[in-house]
């Protein structure tokens, strides 16, 4: 049973930074494509960033390019999302997700239904 636990969310002023972590257990983390999504009330989860199992392929939503950085540490079974220059519109619940299908990840990394496992989410609130 794969378990994902996010941490690092909180309240920050616009222009500030936060670093989210997602610790994985119970599975072959080193073989998972990983993604970060965010969700606001009444809307579907929105793709933010993704990283392939080797770390060689990294993807970002246009809205966060140049501000957010995704990384992973396979030895620690952890994926990170460094968020800089935060804006009020970044306010959301952030989820990490894991995709064990290495054959299709690079085609479908932005699709929520590509991921089999999800964390419980961590709230990020950016005040203006």
């Amino acid at each position: 049973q794969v378990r994902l636990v996010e941490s690092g969310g909180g309240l920050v002023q616009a222009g500030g930074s936060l670093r989210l972590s997602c610790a994985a257990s119970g599975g072959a983390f080193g073989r998972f494509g990983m993604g970060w999504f965010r969700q606001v009330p009444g809307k579907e989860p929105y793709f933010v960033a993704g990283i392939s199992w080797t770390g060689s392929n990294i993807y970002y939503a246009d809205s966060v390019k140049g501000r957010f950085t995704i990384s992973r540490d396979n030895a620690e079974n952890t994926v990170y999302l460094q968020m800089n220059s935060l804006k009020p519109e970044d306010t959301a619940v952030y989820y990490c997700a894991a995709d064990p299908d290495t054959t299709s990840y690079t085609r479908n990394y932005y699709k929520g239904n590509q991921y089999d496992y999800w964390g419980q989410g961590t709230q990020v609130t950016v005040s203006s």
Side-chain angles (χ1 to χ4, degrees):
Q1 180 76 16
V2 175
R3 184 170 181 239
L4 303 174
V5 179
E6 301 97 336
S7 60
L11 173 64
V12 64
Q13 288 189 331
S17 298
L18 284 174
R19 189 193 196 203
L20 305 184
S21 300
C22 172
S25 61
F29 176 81
R31 297 282 295 178
F32 291 165
M34 298 297 297
W36 286 97
F37 289 74
R38 65 189 184 191
Q39 188 175 27
V40 297
K43 295 199 172 182
E44 294 293 314
Y46 171 82
F47 171 77
V48 175
I51 186 168
S52 61
W53 62 282
T54 62
S56 59
N57 298 93
I58 290 177
Y59 312 95
Y60 297 101
D62 287 343
S63 58
V64 307
K65 276 181 185 174
R67 300 188 299 122
F68 290 11
T69 302
I70 188 171
S71 62
R72 67 187 298 159
D73 185 339
N74 286 348
E76 296 293 329
N77 289 354
T78 303
V79 64
Y80 303 96
L81 186 68
Q82 177 67 44
M83 306 187 295
N84 298 329
S85 302
L86 282 161
K87 304 175 181 179
E89 51 264 43
D90 295 319
T91 295
V93 177
Y94 283 71
Y95 297 90
C96 74
D99 169 27
D101 185 355
T102 58
T103 61
S104 64
Y105 177 77
T106 55
R107 294 193 306 274
N108 299 320
Y109 60 87
Y110 59 95
K111 298 179 180 178
N113 60 12
Q114 175 71 15
Y115 298 82
D116 289 352
Y117 307 105
W118 292 77
Q120 83 289 349
T122 185
Q123 176 71 46
V124 171
T125 303
V126 184
S127 63
S128 57

